C-alpha cells in the first residue's frame, strides 16, 4: 500500500498524486463553468419532457414529477443550496442525478430521445441568444449617449485628423456621429447573429435523430426559437453561433478600443480637449497633479482577451471531424469571458461618454492651428478663379510657406502678401479661412457642416 502510494506519487506528482482518476476528472469536468447554463438546461428539459408526454412517449404522471423536480432544482441552485459535483462532470448530469435522487425512476425517462449533444447545443444557444439581446440593449444605450453629446456639440469645432496630423476642421458632433455609425453596425451584427442562431437543436439527439415520434416544432416553439434546425449532424457539430458572437464582440471591442485611445489622447494636458469625470479616472499615488484615464485604458485592453477568445474557439473548431467531439466543451469559457467583458466595456464607455466635459476653447484653438483651412483656400481658388485643383494646391502650398515664415496662420497673411502669391486673390478669401466657415461649407451628404450633423442625428434617433 505504502509502496503503491509512492509509485503513483512518482508517476503523477503534485496535486495529481492520486493518479489517473484525478487527472481524468480534472480534464473532463466542465461543471466548474457550465453551471452558468443551469436555467437554460432546466428550461430545455421541461420543454423536452412536455413534448414527450404530449406525444405519448412518457406518461403524464412522469411529466408532472419531472417538471416539479426540475423546478425545485432551479430553486435549490438559485438559493445556493444545490451541491455541484465534479464527479458528475457537467450541468446536465448534475441536474439529472439530483432529479433521480428526488423522484426516482421517472427521472430516467427524461433523457429519452435526447443526448447531451443536442442538450448542450440547446442550452448554449439559449444562453448566447440572451446575451446577444443584452448586448443589443447596451449598444442602443451607448448610441443614445453619443447622440446626446453630438446634438449638444453639432457646431463645436475641433481639428479633424489623418495620420494624427491636423487635417481639416470638423465638428465634435460629427466626430461623435462617426462612433454612432460604428456602434450602429455592431448593433446590426448582433441582430443578424440572433437571426442566424434562432433554430432549435433539440431532437437532433446524438447526431442522427431519433426513432421516437418526437415533435421538434413543438419544442422549438416552446423555447422561443423560430424553427428547428434541419440537419442533425450539423446541429450537434455547429458552434457558428458562438463564433459569430465572439467575432461581433471582437469587432465591437475594436471600436471601443479606438474610442478609448482617443479619450486617452484627448484628456492629456497637451491636447486638453476633454476632461474625464472623477468617476472614470484615478489619481496617482505619487504625482498629485495627475488624473489617469484608467477606465479608458482598461476598455482598450479588454480587446486583447476578447480577440483572444475568438482565435481560441476558431482554433478549437478548425480540425474537428463531424459530428460532436469533446473538444467543443472548450467553447464555453471563451464565450462567458468575452460576454462579461464586452458588457463591462460597453457600460464603462457609456458612462465616460455621458460624463466627459468638452473643452470647447481648446478644441477651437487646435482646430485653427496647423493650417487646417489650407484646403478651403485651394477650393476658393478653384471656385472663384477657375484654377485647376492641382495649380490651386501649388498656390496654397506657397501661402502656407509664407504664413509659416511670418509665424501666423493663413488668415494672418495680408491681402498684399496673398496677392504676391496669386494676384487674382481678393478680400473675399478671408470668408473661407476661418474654421467656422470651413465646417459650414462642407454640406455634402454625410459631411461635417452642423446642419448635416443635425440631420444625421435625426436619422439615428428615428432608427433606434
Ligand atoms: N459537457 C459537454 C460539453 O460541454 C456536454 C456534451 C457531452 N457529450 C458527450 N458526448 N460526451 O460539450
Amino acid at each position: 500500500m505504502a509502496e503503491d502510494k509512492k509509485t503513483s506519487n512518482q508517476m503523477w506528482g503534485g496535486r495529481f498524486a492520486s493518479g489517473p482518476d484525478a487527472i481524468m476528472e480534472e480534464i473532463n469536468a466542465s461543471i466548474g463553468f457550465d453551471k452558468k447554463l443551469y436555467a437554460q438546461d432546466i428550461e430545455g428539459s421541461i420543454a423536452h419532457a412536455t413534448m414527450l408526454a404530449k406525444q405519448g412517449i412518457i406518461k403524464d404522471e412522469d411529466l408532472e414529477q419531472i417538471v416539479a423536480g426540475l423546478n425545485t432544482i432551479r430553486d435549490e441552485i438559485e438559493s445556493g443550496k444545490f451541491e455541484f459535483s465534479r464527479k458528475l462532470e457537467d450541468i446536465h448530469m448534475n441536474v439529472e442525478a439530483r432529479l433521480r435522487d428526488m423522484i426516482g425512476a421517472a427521472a430516467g425517462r427524461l433523457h429519452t430521445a435526447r443526448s447531451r449533444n443536442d442538450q448542450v447545443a440547446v442550452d448554449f444557444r439559449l444562453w448566447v441568444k440572451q446575451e446577444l439581446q443584452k448586448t443589443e440593449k447596451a449598444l442602443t444605450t451607448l448610441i443614445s449617449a453619443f447622440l446626446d453629446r453630438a446634438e449638444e456639440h453639432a457646431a463645436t469645432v475641433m481639428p479633424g485628423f489623418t495620420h494624427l496630423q491636423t487635417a481639416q476642421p470638423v465638428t465634435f458632433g460629427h466626430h461623435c456621429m462617426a462612433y454612432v455609425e460604428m456602434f450602429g453596425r455592431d448593433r446590426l451584427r448582433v441582430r443578424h447573429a440572433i437571426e442566424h442562431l434562432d433554430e432549435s437543436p433539440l431532437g437532433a439527439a446524438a447526431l442522427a435523430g431519433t426513432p421516437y415520434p418526437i415533435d421538434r416544432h413543438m419544442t422549438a416553439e416552446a423555447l422561443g426559437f423560430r424553427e428547428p434546425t434541419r440537419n442533425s449532424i450539423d446541429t450537434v457539430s455547429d458552434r457558428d453561433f458562438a463564433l459569430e458572437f465572439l467575432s461581433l464582440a471582437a469587432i465591437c471591442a475594436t471600436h471601443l478600443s479606438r474610442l478609448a485611445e482617443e479619450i486617452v489622447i484627448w484628456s492629456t494636458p497637451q491636447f486638453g480637449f476633454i476632461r474625464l469625470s472623477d468617476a472614470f479616472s484615478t489619481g496617482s499615488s505619487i504625482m498629485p497633479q495627475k488624473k489617469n484615464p484608467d477606465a479608458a485604458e482598461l476598455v482598450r485592453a479588454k480587446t486583447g482577451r476578447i480577440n483572444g477568445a475568438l482565435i481560441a474557439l476558431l482554433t478549437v473548431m478548425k480540425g474537428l471531424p463531424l459530428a460532436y467531439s469533446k473538444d467543443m466543451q472548450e467553447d464555453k469559457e471563451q464565450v462567458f469571458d468575452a460576454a462579461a467583458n464586452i458588457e463591462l466595456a460597453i457600460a464603462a464607455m457609456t458612462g465616460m461618454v455621458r460624463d466627459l466635459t468638452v473643452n470647447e476653447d481648446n478644441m477651437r484653438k487646435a482646430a485653427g492651428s496647423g493650417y487646417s483651412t489650407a484646403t478651403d483656400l485651394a477650393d476658393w481658388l478653384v471656385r472663384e478663379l477657375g484654377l485647376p485643383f492641382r495649380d490651386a494646391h501649388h498656390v496654397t502650398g506657397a501661402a502656407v510657406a509664407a504664413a509659416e515664415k511670418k509665424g501666423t496662420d493663413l488668415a494672418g497673411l495680408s491681402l498684399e502678401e496673398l496677392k504676391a502669391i496669386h494676384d487674382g486673390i481678393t478680400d473675399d478669401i478671408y470668408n473661407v479661412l476661418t474654421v467656422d466657415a470651413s465646417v459650414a461649407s462642407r454640406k455634402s451628404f454625410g459631411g461635417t457642416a452642423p446642419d448635416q450633423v443635425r440631420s444625421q442625428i435625426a436619422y439615428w434617433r428615428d432608427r433606434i
Side-chain angles (χ1 to χ4, degrees):
M1 186 66 195
E3 194 51 41
D4 271 350
K5 188 121 199 210
K6 204 174 150 220
T7 322
S8 74
N9 263 327
Q10 277 167 357
M11 293 261 306
W12 309 104
R15 64 207 242 269
F16 298 117
S18 51
D21 290 356
I23 298 178
M24 183 55 187
E25 188 180 301
E26 173 129 356
I27 197 167
N28 199 38
S30 54
I31 188 63
F33 47 87
D34 69 12
K35 58 180 160 204
K36 248 195 167 68
L37 300 175
Y38 79 90
Q40 291 76 16
D41 196 67
I42 290 170
E43 189 190 350
S45 289
I46 291 176
H48 182 65
T50 308
M51 180 277 294
L52 291 177
K54 159 106 189 308
Q55 298 298 99
I57 302 167
I58 63 170
K59 295 205 186 76
D60 286 344
E61 301 92 82
D62 291 337
L63 172 64
E64 262 171 49
Q65 289 193 58
I66 289 171
V67 172
L70 288 170
N71 283 327
T72 307
I73 291 171
R74 190 197 289 112
D75 291 344
E76 287 179 353
I77 294 176
E78 286 175 356
S79 61
K81 277 191 226 124
F82 192 93
E83 273 177 41
F84 291 102
S85 153
R86 214 167 66 158
K87 293 233 169 335
L88 293 166
E89 269 187 60
D90 56 25
I91 185 65
H92 325 296
M93 313 258 265
N94 269 268
V95 170
E96 198 183 316
R98 177 74 186 117
L99 190 64
R100 202 177 319 113
D101 288 350
M102 288 167 60
I103 68 168
R109 305 221 157 82
L110 169 61
H111 213 56
T112 316
R114 184 176 80 168
S115 149
R116 271 191 294 158
N117 295 351
D118 58 340
Q119 192 178 354
V120 72
V122 93
D123 294 3
F124 200 26
R125 269 195 203 227
L126 286 171
W127 193 91
V128 171
K129 186 176 174 185
Q130 187 182 313
E131 192 56 39
L132 284 165
Q133 287 160 343
K134 275 196 232 163
T135 311
E136 187 183 350
K137 274 205 196 102
L139 283 170
T140 306
T141 313
L142 175 58
I143 289 170
S144 41
F146 262 120
L147 290 175
D148 291 344
R149 301 316 305 258
E151 197 158 304
E152 196 185 322
H153 292 286
T156 303
V157 288
M158 70 177 275
F161 299 94
T162 60
H163 315 267
L164 198 55
Q165 306 285 325
T166 301
Q168 293 171 347
V170 295
T171 69
F172 183 61
H174 194 50
H175 200 104
C176 288
M177 291 305 289
Y179 282 103
V180 167
E181 294 289 332
M182 290 150 84
F183 295 120
R185 286 193 296 274
D186 290 336
R187 191 162 156 271
L188 205 57
R189 269 184 282 275
V190 170
R191 289 186 175 183
H192 290 158
I194 293 174
E195 231 174 275
H196 297 162
L197 72 58
D198 213 8
E199 297 176 353
S200 171
L202 203 54
L207 82 162
T210 172
Y212 294 96
I214 60 170
D215 182 351
R216 295 193 58 207
H217 292 271
M218 178 181 168
T219 45
E221 199 189 322
L223 294 171
F225 288 112
R226 190 179 56 231
E227 57 191 335
T229 54
R230 282 166 198 285
N231 180 295
S232 58
I233 296 176
D234 175 54
T235 301
V236 294
S237 345
D238 168 42
R239 290 296 179 271
D240 288 4
F241 60 96
L243 289 171
E244 284 201 27
F245 173 72
L246 291 175
S247 52
L248 71 85
I251 297 174
C252 179
T254 301
H255 293 156
L256 289 166
S257 181
R258 295 180 74 173
L259 172 58
E261 171 71 5
E262 298 210 298
I263 287 178
V264 168
I265 294 173
W266 291 344
S267 62
T268 57
Q270 287 75 11
F271 266 77
F273 285 4
I274 60 166
R275 203 182 146 76
L276 285 171
S277 70
D278 289 343
F280 291 104
S281 40
T282 61
S284 157
S285 52
I286 175 166
M287 297 161 284
Q289 84 284 11
K290 289 195 76 180
K291 193 168 158 83
N292 296 327
D294 296 38
E297 293 168 282
L298 288 164
V299 166
R300 188 172 59 186
K302 293 290 185 197
T303 320
R305 64 202 294 164
I306 294 169
N307 289 356
L310 171 61
I311 300 303
L313 187 56
L314 283 169
T315 312
V316 165
M317 297 304 294
K318 73 168 269 296
L320 296 188
L322 306 187
Y324 176 87
S325 296
K326 195 62 174 266
D327 309 50
M328 290 162 72
Q329 178 166 288
E330 292 279 314
D331 55 1
K332 288 167 213 65
E333 284 168 290
Q334 302 300 338
V335 170
F336 292 158
D337 186 77
N341 283 290
I342 194 74
E343 207 180 304
L344 182 57
I346 295 174
M349 197 45 96
T350 305
M352 280 184 268
V353 169
R354 274 201 184 128
D355 285 9
L356 61 80
T357 321
V358 174
N359 189 329
E360 295 186 29
D361 290 344
N362 284 352
M363 279 190 181
R364 172 170 288 276
K365 234 178 274 156
S369 73
Y371 310 104
S372 65
T373 55
T375 321
D376 298 274
L377 171 54
D379 288 338
W380 186 91
L381 294 167
V382 170
R383 200 172 55 240
E384 302 298 326
L385 305 185
L387 260 60
F389 186 80
R390 280 295 153 215
D391 297 352
H393 186 275
H394 187 76
V395 171
T396 305
V400 168
E404 219 165 357
K405 201 163 156 210
K406 194 181 172 187
T408 72
D409 54 15
L410 287 170
L413 292 172
S414 67
L415 187 57
E416 232 165 52
E417 286 161 331
L418 285 166
K419 272 186 179 300
I421 296 163
H422 192 288
D423 62 9
I425 295 176
T426 69
D427 237 7
D428 182 45
I429 194 71
Y430 294 104
N431 292 327
V432 302
L433 291 182
T434 68
V435 288
D436 291 297
S438 172
V439 297
S441 72
R442 288 186 162 65
K443 292 191 285 267
S444 52
F445 185 80
T448 200
D451 284 348
Q452 265 304 319
V453 173
R454 287 188 191 102
S455 82
Q456 298 303 333
I457 296 170
Y459 166 83
W460 273 101
R461 286 227 192 267
D462 212 43
R463 251 185 98 168
I464 59 167

